[in-house]
Amino acid sequence: MTATISIKPYVGLAVAICAISTGAILVRLSNAPSTVAAFYRVLFTTVPLVPVAVWKYRGQFRSIGRRDLGFAVLSGLALALHFAAWFESLEWTGVAASVTLVQAQPIFVAVGAWALLSERITARMATGILVAVAGIVAMSVGDLFGGIVGTDPLLGNSLALFGAVMAAGYVLAGRSLRQRVDLIPYVVVVYAVCAVALFGIISVQGRPLAGYPAREWLLFAGLAVGPGLLGHTGINWSLAHLESSVVSVSLLGEPVGATVLGALLLSEFPTPTTVAGGVVVLAGIALTATGREGSTAS
């Protein structure tokens, strides 16, 4: 029993990271407005979960208290802003820079987990986070000097960093709520709030929700099944079993996967500095994950 509990969270987390790594590529392949792609990703992720939630977890929705519901709403709003900012950043900067900068969120997560969730971080975990963030900086520098940076890298990189702050809020709220709320009720509420918020953004922008070719709808569905259902839902599941700092720093594996896919599918070849940074990121993930054993986080 103990072995099953200790192995499954890491396996699930690894599958989720692989799925999330496809997100930036699918967004770049889409010609639809970034907020529209984000909206349909979340909507198509939520719809298949609703029948399961109603059939199996109906009673749990009624038992969610006001405080937890409020945090779920905040989590959904943070996720919406994360998607809106990050998807838009991919219009202005390269895949490697955008995906690595948006994953700067472990800095904010580590501070927030210590201040709000009473999670203790061991010296090994702290070292792992610092090493991983150093790898992110190296990858970003490699992309800015000699790599593919897009039409306005300053704007794109700024949007990606804002997305990182919002992602940190989403992870922290999820870590707190997932201790009390089951996975399916939690993600249905959070994704529904996120979809409504993105719909509001699209309405303000005046962008159409229909009239896209079949190729775009396939990309929207791909965003929902891969990064959505397998990716973010897997992350939310792992938050019930692993500290937010571990989950957050593991997400730094996404830039590595996205950079490789960008080179293969979009011909965005990273510089040697970017490749070296990816290796450092993986080293940081390994340090943080193994350092978890010495943590006494509550």
Side-chain angles (χ1 to χ4, degrees):
M1 184 71 173
T2 302
T4 302
I5 294 175
S6 64
I7 292 173
K8 281 188 176 181
Y10 286 107
V11 173
L13 185 58
V15 171
I17 298 304
C18 291
I20 288 175
S21 296
T22 66
I25 308 303
L26 294 172
V27 172
R28 283 293 294 271
L29 290 173
S30 174
N31 295 319
S34 57
T35 47
V36 172
F39 169 74
Y40 280 118
R41 165 179 169 162
V42 177
L43 180 66
F44 291 168
T45 300
T46 309
V47 169
L49 296 175
V50 172
V52 178
V54 172
W55 173 61
K56 192 173 181 181
Y57 298 96
R58 185 182 306 174
Q60 292 195 26
F61 282 99
R62 292 193 293 267
S63 66
I64 298 176
R66 287 187 178 181
R67 182 172 179 272
D68 284 347
L69 184 60
F71 276 112
V73 170
L74 288 176
S75 180
L77 291 175
L79 184 60
L81 292 173
H82 161 71
F83 280 138
W86 176 49
F87 278 34
E88 184 66 20
S89 78
L90 287 161
E91 299 287 333
W92 304 102
T93 191
V95 168
S98 176
V99 180
T100 52
L101 288 172
V102 81
Q103 290 301 351
Q105 42 96 6
I107 301 172
F108 308 106
V109 169
V111 174
W114 169 76
L116 303 175
L117 304 181
S118 300
E119 288 189 9
R120 296 182 60 186
I121 300 177
T122 66
R124 187 182 182 92
M125 291 173 68
T127 301
I129 291 173
L130 291 175
V131 168
V133 171
I136 276 192
V137 172
M139 291 183 74
S140 300
V141 169
D143 196 55
L144 289 172
F145 296 97
I148 299 172
V149 297
T151 55
D152 193 339
L154 181 59
L155 173 60
N157 292 349
S158 298
L159 286 168
L161 282 174
F162 178 75
V165 176
M166 293 298 100
Y170 167 65
V171 169
L172 287 169
R175 172 61 175 166
S176 176
L177 288 171
R178 284 287 288 117
Q179 305 304 304
R180 300 179 296 280
V181 181
D182 282 341
L183 174 63
I184 298 299
Y186 168 72
V187 296
V188 166
V189 173
V190 171
Y191 292 172
V193 171
C194 180
V196 171
L198 287 169
F199 178 78
I201 294 173
I202 292 169
S203 299
V204 171
Q205 294 174 333
R207 290 177 171 167
L209 285 173
Y212 298 103
R215 175 180 179 275
E216 293 297 326
W217 294 104
L218 288 174
L219 289 171
F220 297 157
L223 282 166
V225 173
L229 287 171
L230 293 177
H232 273 269
T233 303
I235 293 298
N236 281 310
W237 175 81
S238 67
L239 284 167
H241 307 282
L242 300 169
E243 284 86 351
S244 56
S245 297
V246 173
V247 174
S248 178
V249 82
S250 296
L251 287 169
L252 294 174
E254 179 186 357
V256 180
T259 300
V260 171
L261 290 174
L264 294 174
L265 302 177
L266 303 176
S267 297
E268 290 193 10
F269 297 101
T271 64
T273 304
T274 304
V275 173
V279 174
V280 175
V281 169
L282 290 177
I285 292 172
L287 277 173
T288 303
T290 55
R292 177 179 182 269
E293 301 304 322
S295 175
T296 58
S298 59

